[in-house]
Amino acid sequence: MGFMLSKKNRSFLKPVLFLLVLIIGICSGITAQKYQVDCHKQPLNKVLVELRNRYQLQFSFDDAGVANHLLTLQSSFSTEEALADALVKDFPLAWERMGDVIVLFPFHKETKSTNSIISGRIMELGSNEALPYTHLSVNGHNTTTDINGHFVYKTNSDAFVHLKASHLGCFILDTLLAPSKDHIIHLRPKSLALPELIVSNNRIHNTIQMGSEPGTILLNSHIAKYMPGNGDNSIFNLLRLQPGILAAGEQPNDLIIWGSNEGTSRVKLDGFTIWGLRNFNDNISVINPFITKNIEVLKGGYDASNTDVTGGIVDITAKTGNNSKVGADLFLNNHTINSMFQIPLSHKSTFILAYRQTFYELFEPDDLLRRSADSYEYKIHVEPKYDFRDFNAKYTLTGNNGDLFFISLLAGGDQFSYNAKQERPYNTIHQNVVEKNRQGGGTAHYGKLWKDGQRTDFKLSYSMLKSDFKEKRSLQNNRFNRLFSRVDDQYINHVNELSFELSNRVSFHPNHRLEFGVEAMRNEVFLYRDSFDVVLSRQNLQHFIVTGFIQDEISIGQKFTMKPGIRINRHMPNKAFYYSPRLSLGIDVSHLLKFNLAGGLYRQFLVKSSVMDENGNYRYWWTISDSKYIPALKSEHLTTGLILDNNAFSASIEGYYKSTAGLTRFIVYRLNQEKIFVGQSRSYGVNFFAKKNFSRHSVWASYSLSLTEELFPYFPEQTYRRSPHDQRHEIKSTGMFDFDPFNFSYSIVHGSGFPLYQSYLRDNYIEKDYNRIDVSLVYKKQLGMFNSETGISVVNLFNSENIKYSSFERIPLAQQNTAYIDAESVPFTVYLFLKLGF
């Protein structure tokens, strides 16, 4: 049976078929755009530029390398691939497509080997300082350099790779690298001591970087010197302004990070622990800013390679020094002096030496005295005294093959004391407090880079703290001239930590990296307490712990990263195993937006117990978990965040939850009776952060909403109540403005305050807001061979009266009257400073 069209139908189909052919032709023309080339002996670089402008194509090539290739070609091409083949056919060139970019490079003959290793070192232009933990994107895969600025990338081909490097304070570098193991790559810092140098039209990471890992902040130590406050404390000035780190209540020797309890966070310098001196964060700190290079803050949810603590970690890397020239820095203000010298011993080795000390009293009598809720009638006379000094030294030796050896040392000490006296009609109250601290530590580190790209690090670290606290209080009868002792207490606490760590990092594939290691740690603690020369407690404690960890970093494509890991502790004294599994996830939602999620278990065996006396004063001492009276701390972390980074603007929101079990607290009753209690705490909250860079300026702000609660058996009501360091709201804002040669900066902090409990048996408290505004102005000038900076910094501009967490001493004057001796509140203070360097 056939099918026939009538004459009428055939005449109708003709225009329809013609229309279909026309549509197909138009669509073919759209989908197969022709690229026309018509040139005769023209330099290839000019041809590429012309094609780019005419057809909106994207090419990447070495301009000087292709300029000598003269192209003669007259043809049209329907695809970009065909065009690229024709352009390089007659020359020793090859091409690859990377996303939308056609990359032209010198022809590289293929070999049978499909595995290539690309490695190198990222350094700072001018100072030749290694740039540790620089963020790299290699062919779209994210990684970081090690402590010596080295990186290794294993690829399955011998082709060029696309490298993008970013480090805080430096301009971003975007380049191509050939397979090689000896790349030396310099990043240009924002401020370079060459007045004729002008850099424009480039992006810079100049202050803070967030979101590379869950709960992580990377800070640029270069900008710390322009922050308001004492330059000798610029590192802590910078830390306290970050979201999640309490500005209104940091201890002189501790940081409160995401509601962490006293002693659960760690500050490390080149691998050894900084226990902290009295040192008064707002005046002078145990970290010398002259030797600081890189600051990484791990607020929570960190991976299995990190040390055993249940709070946060601040990991500080010291400078390696300039191996090309001698350098020196001198800083002088109206309280302290700071100096640093760096000497190249060879083109591979350097030596750095730094020294600081106070030469003028940091405190005036009125600085220490704070009134209680019930004002007192009679004046209290206070005589404070504070001395501080410390010393840093570092020797660094770098090998051509990427090996690194260094020895980093620290020694420091301080002494704080005050005499307080209040004269009343019938008697006089005397209070004398003396606190001495000595701290030392060091690390010997050797990192080996193997030929296959594997890296092994050996680290031997030692640190110690010796703390001695004495308190005397007496009542003098003015009528009969008799003296009655009320308090005569002494606390001695010594801590020693010795550790050896071996870690390995192996790259099997661009999408697969494995890290594993083992650590042996020995701690010793000496505790001593007496009252009226009667020994109440004397203990010599020690333990030995062996720890192993392993974690796998797996990337699925260029969008999803997963890092499972586990940390296993073997506690030798009680022969017990502790398992701490951890997991983090990262998703690049887009090139601007990243999502992070992390959680796990965390342990801590060297812990700080709190001691509360009958007046409500807190003391803290280091002790060792014995799994009987002092349990090991166990904490659960969960954190999630969303980070937006759009060139000059970045923002983030992070939520967290922490629960910690095994907290210990000694309650001292009257007649020197005491009892130990074991409790728990929980903390949760959310941090908002936004930062804007414009021109040479930067402004950022953060808001923290949090709740930290604790529960101990001695509470009258067995329900959670606010921890002494709990603060509901904290708002911080900072601005840094570079009007070369002037730099102006400000910082604003408002906190809703901490609960000041009247008694350990009562849950009623008073709460006072915290407010402080600081400003700074710096002038930079080149004086011959010297780089000079002079400036003024005003702390607590409006002289707000603030009470910080656990920073005061309660002195009972009567049944209804108490005075606070507050040794850390900072009144209106002006710092004038001068810095010289070459």
Side-chain angles (χ1 to χ4, degrees):
M1 180 178 177
F3 179 77
M4 297 182 62
L5 291 174
S6 66
K7 184 176 182 181
K8 182 178 180 180
N9 288 336
R10 286 198 301 269
S11 62
F12 171 77
L13 281 177
K14 285 182 180 180
V16 174
L17 292 174
F18 176 77
L19 182 61
L20 288 173
V21 172
L22 181 61
I23 292 174
I24 293 172
I26 293 174
C27 294
S28 300
I30 293 174
T31 58
Q33 178 182 359
K34 289 189 177 181
Y35 302 100
Q36 186 73 32
V37 182
D38 187 0
C39 61
H40 179 70
K41 292 185 179 182
Q42 290 189 17
L44 181 56
N45 60 336
K46 293 185 178 181
V47 176
L48 293 171
V49 172
E50 183 181 345
L51 291 172
R52 181 194 65 188
N53 296 335
R54 185 191 308 167
Y55 299 111
Q56 286 76 50
L57 298 174
Q58 297 186 54
F59 293 103
S60 177
F61 56 91
D62 180 4
D63 188 76
V66 302
N68 294 328
H69 301 316
L70 302 180
L71 178 67
T72 299
L73 182 62
Q74 186 176 10
S75 183
S76 61
F77 306 92
S78 58
T79 65
E80 295 180 12
E81 289 77 8
L83 172 63
D85 287 337
L87 292 174
V88 303
K89 182 180 65 173
D90 297 329
F91 307 115
L93 298 173
W95 70 272
E96 273 192 18
R97 178 182 289 277
M98 293 184 178
D100 295 331
V101 182
I102 298 175
V103 181
L104 280 70
F105 51 88
F107 178 71
H108 207 66
K109 185 177 179 180
E110 294 290 335
T111 63
K112 293 183 179 180
S113 174
T114 58
N115 293 321
S116 296
I117 294 177
I118 297 177
S119 65
R121 192 180 186 202
I122 308 295
M123 304 182 72
E124 185 180 79
L125 182 65
S127 69
N128 280 334
E129 276 281 344
L131 295 178
Y133 313 119
T134 299
H135 279 268
L136 304 177
S137 174
V138 188
N139 278 354
H141 300 285
N142 295 323
T143 185
T144 58
T145 62
D146 63 16
I147 194 173
N148 197 33
H150 276 100
F151 68 93
V152 176
Y153 179 76
K154 184 174 288 187
T155 178
N156 293 330
S157 72
D158 292 333
F160 278 53
V161 300
H162 178 213
L163 175 76
K164 191 174 183 180
S166 62
H167 188 91
L168 291 173
C170 296
F171 289 96
I172 292 178
L173 178 68
D174 197 330
T175 187
L176 297 174
L177 293 181
S180 175
K181 298 180 181 180
D182 56 357
H183 291 287
I184 299 295
I185 301 171
H186 288 90
L187 298 187
R188 191 183 305 278
K190 178 186 177 183
S191 57
L192 194 62
L194 295 175
E196 67 275 11
L197 177 65
I198 299 176
V199 179
S200 61
N201 296 326
N202 207 343
R203 185 183 168 199
I204 186 172
H205 275 185
N206 61 352
T207 49
I208 305 167
Q209 185 173 323
M210 307 182 72
S212 56
E213 298 286 343
T216 301
I217 307 175
L218 292 178
L219 300 176
N220 173 17
S221 62
H222 288 294
I223 69 167
K225 60 185 178 182
Y226 300 117
M227 303 288 292
N230 188 344
D232 274 314
N233 189 38
S234 58
I235 301 304
F236 278 98
N237 292 338
L238 181 60
L239 283 170
R240 69 191 292 270
L241 294 172
Q242 307 312 312
I245 301 179
L246 220 53
E250 71 270 14
Q251 287 291 78
N253 53 4
D254 203 6
L255 290 170
I256 299 175
I257 303 175
W258 274 358
S260 57
N261 294 85
E262 178 89 12
T264 61
S265 294
R266 284 286 190 278
V267 177
K268 286 182 169 289
L269 176 64
D270 278 344
F272 63 90
T273 299
I274 301 293
W275 304 102
L277 306 178
R278 185 71 176 179
N279 57 64
F280 309 105
N281 269 356
D282 293 300
N283 291 282
I284 188 169
S285 72
V286 75
I287 302 296
N288 191 329
F290 274 171
I291 57 96
T292 303
K293 183 62 182 180
N294 189 80
I295 307 170
E296 184 177 32
V297 182
L298 308 176
K299 295 184 286 187
Y302 35 86
D303 63 40
S305 66
N306 291 284
T307 189
D308 289 304
V309 293
T310 58
I313 300 173
V314 178
D315 193 359
I316 301 175
T317 305
K319 292 180 179 178
T320 56
N322 192 330
N323 59 7
S324 61
K325 65 177 182 178
V326 175
D329 290 287
L330 175 67
F331 178 89
L332 180 69
N333 68 14
N334 43 329
H335 291 299
T336 60
I337 185 171
N338 187 7
S339 59
M340 183 187 73
F341 302 91
Q342 49 183 337
I343 306 170
L345 302 181
S346 70
H347 69 284
K348 295 182 181 179
S349 62
T350 58
F351 180 70
I352 293 179
L353 182 67
Y355 177 77
R356 294 185 298 170
Q357 78 166 62
T358 56
F359 64 87
Y360 181 76
E361 287 301 332
L362 292 174
F363 301 97
E364 297 293 335
D366 292 340
D367 296 348
L368 303 188
L369 196 59
R370 291 293 180 264
R371 292 182 178 270
S372 65
D374 302 313
S375 62
Y376 43 86
E377 180 180 356
Y378 303 102
K379 182 179 180 181
I380 298 180
H381 179 67
V382 182
E383 295 180 358
K385 185 177 181 181
Y386 181 70
D387 295 308
F388 173 92
R389 63 191 62 198
D390 73 347
F391 165 87
N392 287 90
K394 186 172 183 178
Y395 169 76
T396 304
L397 175 65
T398 304
N400 291 330
N401 57 351
D403 291 357
L404 169 69
F405 172 77
F406 70 78
I407 297 177
S408 182
L409 303 172
L410 164 69
D414 65 357
Q415 177 173 321
F416 171 76
S417 64
Y418 70 84
N419 291 305
K421 181 175 68 173
Q422 186 194 44
E423 297 183 357
R424 303 172 66 87
Y426 302 105
N427 52 55
T428 301
I429 297 177
H430 298 270
Q431 172 97 351
N432 176 258
V433 170
V434 178
E435 182 172 352
K436 298 179 182 179
N437 297 280
R438 297 293 181 268
Q439 177 172 265
T443 292
H445 176 278
Y446 174 64
K448 174 65 178 177
L449 183 63
W450 304 94
K451 292 183 179 179
D452 60 355
Q454 176 180 335
R455 185 166 191 88
T456 302
D457 290 285
F458 306 85
K459 183 173 63 178
L460 179 65
S461 299
Y462 171 78
S463 60
M464 69 87 180
L465 172 70
K466 294 183 177 180
S467 181
D468 188 350
F469 177 85
K470 296 179 180 180
E471 179 184 21
K472 291 184 178 181
R473 187 182 307 137
S474 60
L475 181 68
Q476 180 180 355
N477 186 295
N478 297 333
R479 182 176 180 182
F480 298 102
N481 198 26
R482 298 181 61 183
L483 191 67
F484 301 93
S485 293
R486 291 291 183 258
V487 174
D488 188 355
D489 293 338
Q490 181 179 16
Y491 297 83
I492 298 177
N493 195 190
H494 296 173
V495 185
N496 291 278
E497 182 174 273
L498 177 66
S499 68
F500 173 77
E501 183 178 350
L502 170 65
S503 60
N504 293 272
R505 187 173 184 179
V506 183
S507 179
F508 299 109
H509 185 271
N511 294 335
H512 187 197
R513 289 181 291 273
L514 184 69
E515 189 172 1
F516 58 93
V518 63
E519 180 182 11
M521 178 176 292
R522 185 175 186 271
N523 289 112
E524 293 182 353
V525 172
F526 173 70
L527 292 171
Y528 176 86
R529 178 172 177 257
D530 72 37
S531 181
F532 294 101
D533 296 325
V534 176
V535 178
L536 301 179
S537 177
R538 184 186 181 97
Q539 295 179 319
N540 285 282
L541 308 171
Q542 62 182 21
H543 70 181
F544 182 70
I545 297 175
V546 177
T547 302
F549 76 89
I550 184 170
Q551 64 184 17
D552 209 359
E553 185 175 347
I554 304 169
S555 298
I556 301 176
Q558 299 179 8
K559 297 290 186 181
F560 181 81
T561 302
M562 178 174 61
K563 188 186 290 185
I566 189 171
R567 196 170 177 90
I568 304 174
N569 307 105
R570 169 67 169 175
H571 194 270
M572 294 303 183
N574 57 18
K575 299 180 181 179
F577 284 96
Y578 297 87
Y579 300 90
S580 303
R582 300 169 191 180
L583 175 66
S584 67
L585 304 173
I587 302 174
D588 290 331
V589 181
S590 70
H591 70 285
L592 299 178
L593 197 62
K594 184 174 183 179
F595 172 78
N596 286 326
L597 177 67
L601 289 179
Y602 298 82
R603 313 279 182 169
Q604 186 170 333
F605 306 95
L606 179 65
V607 301
K608 232 177 185 181
S609 293
S610 57
V611 183
M612 182 186 289
D613 66 19
E614 64 272 18
N615 297 315
N617 295 316
Y618 279 92
R619 299 274 176 249
Y620 293 89
W621 59 25
W622 289 103
T623 186
I624 287 176
S625 164
D626 58 9
S627 297
K628 186 178 180 181
Y629 300 106
I630 308 294
L633 296 181
K634 178 183 178 182
S635 182
E636 298 178 0
H637 291 193
L638 179 64
T639 176
T640 183
L642 196 63
I643 295 90
L644 172 68
D645 188 359
N646 184 16
N647 293 329
F649 176 78
S650 60
S652 69
I653 176 173
E654 288 181 311
Y656 65 91
Y657 173 80
K658 288 183 180 181
S659 65
T660 304
L663 300 172
T664 53
R665 179 169 296 166
F666 291 82
I667 301 297
V668 180
Y669 302 95
R670 296 188 182 277
L671 303 178
N672 288 319
Q673 296 178 352
E674 62 182 31
K675 187 176 181 180
I676 186 172
F677 296 91
V678 178
Q680 55 194 350
S681 72
R682 61 189 182 189
S683 177
Y684 42 91
V686 61
N687 301 145
F688 299 90
F689 175 82
K691 176 172 68 76
K692 174 65 177 177
N693 297 331
F694 53 97
S695 184
R696 302 166 64 92
H697 318 304
S698 182
V699 176
W700 74 84
S702 68
Y703 168 66
S704 296
L705 174 65
S706 62
L707 174 64
T708 302
E709 301 174 307
E710 63 183 19
L711 175 62
F712 282 89
Y714 68 83
F715 288 178
E717 300 291 336
Q718 281 300 291
T719 58
Y720 277 92
R721 73 182 190 188
R722 294 180 64 185
S723 298
H725 58 279
D726 174 55
Q727 182 173 237
R728 190 72 63 250
H729 308 279
E730 186 167 85
I731 302 173
K732 296 181 279 197
S733 176
T734 305
M736 305 186 69
F737 305 91
D738 186 354
F739 303 104
D740 193 30
F742 291 95
N743 279 82
F744 171 76
S745 63
Y746 73 86
S747 62
I748 302 173
V749 178
H750 170 77
S752 58
F754 306 97
L756 302 179
Y757 292 98
Q758 302 300 307
S759 167
Y760 63 87
L761 290 177
R762 299 177 182 176
D763 58 5
N764 60 311
Y765 56 84
I766 61 173
E767 186 177 19
K768 188 178 186 300
D769 287 355
Y770 177 95
N771 294 283
R772 207 176 94 185
I773 298 177
D774 305 336
V775 294
S776 176
L777 181 65
V778 180
Y779 174 69
K780 299 176 292 183
K781 185 175 179 59
Q782 191 78 18
L783 299 175
M785 62 178 293
F786 294 99
N787 304 316
S788 73
E789 294 178 4
T790 57
I792 180 172
S793 187
V794 180
V795 176
N796 200 353
L797 181 64
F798 297 106
N799 200 28
S800 300
E801 186 176 288
N802 296 311
I803 294 179
K804 297 187 185 179
Y805 156 66
S806 189
S807 65
F808 49 83
E809 180 79 16
R810 293 183 176 97
I811 302 179
L813 304 179
Q815 290 185 349
Q816 303 295 328
N817 211 343
T818 299
Y820 293 126
I821 300 298
D822 190 343
E824 298 169 51
S825 60
V826 179
F828 173 85
T829 306
V830 178
Y831 293 101
L832 301 173
F833 64 87
L834 169 66
K835 179 184 175 184
L836 295 174
F838 66 89

